[in-house]
Structures are given as C-alpha cells and as structure tokens.
Amino acid sequence: MTSATSPLLLPAILERYSTRSYTPQNVSKEQIERIFNAAHLAASTMNEQPWRFIVAARDLDPEGHTRIGSTLVPGNAWALAAPVLGISVAGKNFARNGKPNPYHKHDTGAAMALAALQAVAEGLNLHQMGGFDAAKAAEVLEIPEGYEPVAAFALGYSDAPEPPVRQRKAMPEVLFGGKFGVAL
Ligand SMILES: Cc1cc2nc3c(=O)[nH]c(=O)nc-3n(C[C@H](O)[C@H](O)[C@H](O)COP(=O)(O)O)c2cc1C
C-alpha cells in the first residue's frame, strides 16, 4: 500500500483528484472566496505571499470566463465546460527590496494545493493545468510587469467518479532517509 491509499491521511487529501468532466452547476462567489481564502493562508518565503488569483465564473463574468478559456491549449478544451476558470499568478520579486524571489512559483503552487483541498471540502473539484499560453494570458488578462502566470485551473462540480486507483510512484522512489536514494 502506498501513502495515497492510507486511510489515515486527511479525508480531503484522499478525496482530491483532478476531474475532466464538470456539471453545469454554478459555484457561488462565496465559495470562490472561501477557496482562495484557504489558498491565501499558505506558507510563503518571508511571508511574501507572491500569489495572485484571476478567477471568472461563467454566470457572473462570462467575458472573463471566455478570456481565460481562450488561453487554454486545445488539449484542455474539456475545461471550457467548467463553470469557473482561473489563472494563478506569481509576483517575481520581493516587495521589500525588489530582488528576485526564487520561491515565487513554489509558494504559489503551495497556495493552489490548499485551494484544491478547500474545494474538496466544498464538494467541488479544482483541476490545475500547465497547458495554457502564458504569454497570451499575460496580455489578455493585463498581468502587470513583475508578475508571471503560473497555471490555469478549472473549478466546479465533478460528474466523473473519483478514479479507483491513484496513479503514483511507489513511496521509496520519492521518500528518502538522510541522503538521496537511501531508504528511510
Ligand atoms: C501544475 C499542474 C499542471 C497540470 N497540467 C495539466 C494539463 O495541462 N492538463 C490536464 O488535463 N491536467 C493537468 N494537470 C493535472 C495532472 O495531470 C494531475 O494532477 C495528475 O495526473 C495527478 O492526478 P490527480 O490530480 O487526479 O491526483 C496538471 C496538474 C498540475 C499540478
């Protein structure tokens, strides 16, 4: 058994998966706010909080939804059915001194992981996508200099069942004891 199947993990971690099929049911603005409130509570280098989230619900902001959808690669066309689309964005430099923050994308990804878990708690499914045109996103979403699009995401109610098996490398391939490659 791998850790992905241990029943002792937090239920939201066990239940999270990335769907490719959404129902048309809308997600409320309050749910979106809670999900990104969770993201905003992530840890970050020097508490820089480099993350920014651009989000558009189809029912509340159809033009924004179309704008974000226009940045997705054809292989991610399934995501256009999601009632909510978004892009995570990372500030590249520290606010305090303007120097590059080497952890800007790391910390933004950590925030998105918390968003995905809060989505599970809301009965929702958040699926991140690297398959989008970052240059186009920067342009059409008017992302200012100093910020970098990191990933697109879809959010909504899944109508696909959770996969029965979580596809993961065996734990000894990723968890080491004291040195790289050494068994714990
Ligand atoms: C940064 C990032 C980029 C991803 N890009 C895509 C993508 O472009 N298209 C897609 O269908 N899934 C994408 N995924 C989803 C992964 O394929 C998925 O998380 C992985 O297969 C594990 O499955 P699970 O999330 O259901 O556990 C991405 C996930 C992450 C975190």
Side-chain angles (χ1 to χ4, degrees):
M1 186 165 69
T2 71
S3 68
T5 55
S6 166
L8 298 181
L9 294 181
L10 293 175
I13 292 174
L14 288 171
E15 290 165 27
R16 188 211 61 78
Y17 70 103
S18 301
T19 191
R20 285 187 177 79
S21 183
Y22 289 97
T23 76
Q25 188 179 344
N26 290 324
V27 179
S28 72
K29 189 171 179 225
E30 290 71 28
Q31 284 176 304
I32 293 170
E33 285 171 345
R34 273 199 300 277
I35 287 166
F36 289 96
N37 191 173
H40 195 33
L41 290 175
S44 65
T45 313
M46 307 286 283
N47 202 17
E48 175 67 26
Q49 303 160 58
W51 44 75
R52 302 291 184 272
F53 311 108
I54 302 174
V55 185
R58 183 189 286 111
D59 60 326
L60 303 172
D61 178 8
E63 289 178 5
H65 189 278
T66 300
R67 233 181 346 260
I68 295 171
S70 76
T71 71
L72 298 176
V73 300
N76 283 330
W78 55 265
L80 298 173
V84 179
L85 291 175
I87 304 274
S88 62
V89 175
K92 293 194 262 191
N93 303 315
F94 285 109
R96 66 177 56 75
N97 58 15
K99 291 192 175 158
N101 173 3
Y103 297 103
H104 66 302
K105 289 168 95 171
H106 173 279
D107 293 348
T108 299
M112 285 305 300
L114 294 191
L117 294 181
Q118 182 63 29
V120 171
E122 304 277 341
L124 291 161
N125 190 299
L126 189 152
H127 186 148
Q128 297 191 66
M129 293 165 282
F132 76 109
D133 183 334
K136 182 173 182 184
E139 185 191 333
V140 300
L141 306 177
E142 299 180 15
I143 296 170
E145 199 63 27
Y147 290 86
E148 184 176 359
V150 178
F153 57 88
L155 175 67
Y157 293 90
S158 174
D159 66 0
E162 186 176 350
V165 178
R166 311 298 298 283
Q167 298 294 328
R168 290 298 184 269
K169 297 179 173 75
M171 282 303 297
E173 286 188 56
V174 301
L175 175 65
F176 304 136
K179 275 187 187 173
F180 195 97
V182 175
L184 183 68

